[in-house]
Amino acid sequence: MSVSASSYDKKSKNSLQNGEGNSVQSQSVWRSIIADRQKLQTIVTLLVLLLMIIVFSFFNPRFLTLSNFQNLARNTAPLIIAASAMTAVMIARGLDLSVGSVLAACSVVAASLAVKGVPLPLAFLAALAFGAFIGFLNGAIIVKMRVSPIIVTLGSLNIARGIAYLITPSAILVGLPPNWSTLGTTKIGPFPMPILIAAVVALVYSWASQKTKFGKHVYAVGGNEEAARLSGVPVERTLISLYVLSGMMAALAGIVLSTRVGSGDPNIGVGFELEVIAAVIIGGTSLSGGEGRIMGTVIGAIIVGVLSNGLNLSGVEPFWQYVAQGMVLIAAVVVDKRVNEGVLRIGRRRPRAA
Amino acid sequence: MSSIDLAEPAPRTETGQPVLQAFGLSKQFPGVRALAGVDFDLMRGEVHCLIGENGAGKSTFVKILAGATQPDSGEILVRGVKAEMAGPRDAKELGLAFIFQELSVVDGLTVAENIVLGSEPGARGRFDAQSATATARKILLGIGFDTLDPDMRVGRLSTAEKQAVMIAKALCANADVIVMDEPTSPLEEQEVRQLFQVIATLKQQGKAIIYVSHKMREIEEIGDRVTVFKDGAKVATLNRAEATPRELIRLMVGRDLGDIFPAKDRQPGREVLKVSGLSGARIRDIDLSVRAGEIVGVAGLVGAGRTELLRSIFGADEVVHGEVSVDGELVPANSVRGAIRSGIGLVPEERRGQGIVGVLSVFDNVLLPWQEFPDSRRDNGEPEIVARQAVESMNVKTPSIRQRISLLSGGNQQKVVVGKWLTMKTRVLLLDEPTRGIDIGAKREIYKLIHDLAKSGLAILLVSSELPEVLGLCDRILVLNNGYAVGELPGSASEADVIELSMLHGGQS
């Protein structure tokens, strides 16, 4: 990726220097953008996001304010964290439906420990470990027993939600220490803490997916599992690691979310997995694995966040927001399919000679 | 990762020593002797071709080498040491690389990333992209594919370029035996030339190549030795000079047909099925006609368009041009339901996947079209009686017509699939590999049934990969090559005639 991006830069510099080659150069640059599914998809989603921002700011002047953007950033942070992890899982052709429940279970774990007087860092670490543990179970069962990830994580979705209620039978925990909300509500400069954490997660995931052997293995496993196995890629270890990370990132999202709202609530995160998957798919990750980028997902997550934030501000009833989100998701998949087919047609150079 | 010095040929440890040997390899599948005591040896710097009809044992042999199938007996020696191929990774570690038609590349990764996949350069988990690109560039240069950009995504490459990536990957893994299974079938003529140059380079580097092919011209051109397989056994290994096409064909054929086929004492009547100018994705401008009481065979290599021809006539594969008529009446194009109403029935290639509905009973299976098309029924009686008659006329052996069809033997299942068309006013029966996976006794019975059906006035079009079957049953044989009808032979033709027509006469138009 980085190499093609730098050659793109070089090309545009060249074309600026010698004016005559300009149109030819830019034409080829355009062609390379059109032919590269990923780039095209990123551009399309960015345009959609821009359009949404314009439309919402037109409907409500409060949309384009710093405080609303800070609010938006705080709300979108858990989504970006969990969706970054989900992107890697889905690139490897997996799926993790349990993230919403794991988020709830882990935040309840952290909150109940905090109520008992356990120092916050330790409580948070315990929550992360618990999330990683559920992720490990997901991955191990999927890989070793060869069960479909949908089934396994649908099961653990229920299990984790059950655990959350078992820990706190009487709904919301009381007696949280006063510093509980620090993480979720502080700001560094104009930036709320949650979005900074999310940015770090997304950057690390993005770097790892492009610049490490592990990242290459993730793409290989999703693109052609058999080829990866025959090349000596540790397919099983790669997949299990991805689910462990997904569980851990769901836990982190849970910590961020519950410290922001200032409670330990077993009811949070219902339907969160669908928002996460929507963000990943809107961001251009291929449903059939092997393709996708973290930065696309970040844009996808922002689109999901802007959609609900914007609809809220425009006074649309919350129930309609579900409808809108569902439609955006379906539209994204349809666009994904179209773009894919279009590029395939361009990419196939030799039509079979008749 | 070990470096590959492409500047000079790899050290040749005595040109005379075989890098790979096999002794008495045997493999039995239920009802089929897939491989019987095959001995084989492969020298460094040699291209050793494998040739044989479909089912002759080439694929089983290659699968055993790849570790995908375990032999019942026999042993394999790699560089003189006994090798256990428990799985694909063992073969890789022993320096064997495989380039199958189904290319195992990862489309989402770049050329360089594919080449180094599994042995990536870089310290502490970092992927060293520069070093990967450099390695890839060096290897690609070595095989004359230096025009290929290492940073290009593989999904955007042509098949020939993907093959080059696979070959480069094999070299990167330091393989010294490279097995290629029909590598040229998806290639254009010019790409074939390029591949042959790569093979010549590999030979110079001391690599040994096993080359599986159907194409005589290629074997003549690049083969140092040729091993002929027939019915699971090795017939002979010939040197280049001895391996003339005539001789190879003679060795591949020449088997006892026996009298498992009924005498061809049918009297063809008037024309029933007429196909003119039929073209689709895989077939081009095909004309044919089948008369009542006639069995016409369709021969050709795998991929020649045989199945596609039957499916297009039946409306299951898209037809772009041309028309089909039955008894002079035009059959609506691209409509399976229209074809059935016009009196066409198809017995598809894969019995389990396409012919039967495994969870349903014999009764439900045999009456599938009957219940769906009341206007095209042959007989409007009670369903129970109609089903029983069809089952009896096909001589299906089942304890009850309520039996789940998946519990019957393959031969009896197939008879049900044919039987369902006998409940209808069927005029044309299209049979695609009707005896595949059926034991020899049941085959004979099905041959007799096919013959009897023709005799009763049906027009039958039969596709089979088994040439003896085509020759033993058919009155005429249409030979396809790369989607075109390249000729027609009488039922009295020899296997050699059919093979020659389907292989020798250009694959390209």
Side-chain angles (χ1 to χ4, degrees), chain A residues 76-96:
Chain A
T76 316
L79 188 57
I80 292 175
I81 294 170
S84 294
M86 182 74 87
T87 305
V89 171
M90 287 175 67
I91 289 172
R93 225 176 165 162
L95 194 68
D96 187 353

Side-chain angles (χ1 to χ4, degrees), chain A residues 1 3-4 216, chain B residues 106-117 127 132-133 136 149-155 157 165:
Chain A
M1 288 304 137
V3 178
S4 65
K216 298 300 168 192
Chain B
V106 182
D107 283 347
L109 296 181
T110 67
V111 170
E113 287 164 356
N114 264 283
I115 290 173
V116 301
L117 185 64
F127 176 77
T133 304
D149 178 3
D151 296 320
M152 179 103 112
R153 279 157 63 97
V154 163
L157 302 184
V165 171

Side-chain angles (χ1 to χ4, degrees), chain A residues 289-303:
Chain A
E291 282 183 63
R293 285 204 279 186
I294 305 294
M295 282 311 145
T297 295
V298 171
I299 299 171
I302 297 174
I303 288 180

Side-chain angles (χ1 to χ4, degrees), chain A residues 11-30:
Chain A
K11 261 181 205 161
S12 41
K13 260 180 226 148
N14 281 347
S15 58
L16 284 179
Q17 279 160 5
N18 41 14
E20 50 171 351
N22 202 343
S23 70
V24 181
Q25 287 283 13
S26 65
Q27 226 175 29
S28 80
V29 167
W30 271 114

Side-chain angles (χ1 to χ4, degrees), chain A residues 211 213 216-217 230-231, chain B residues 92 113 120 122 125 127 169:
Chain A
K211 303 286 182 195
K213 294 179 188 177
K216 298 300 168 192
H217 291 170
L230 294 180
S231 306
Chain B
K92 187 191 175 198
E113 287 164 356
E120 298 88 347
F127 176 77
K169 191 169 152 68

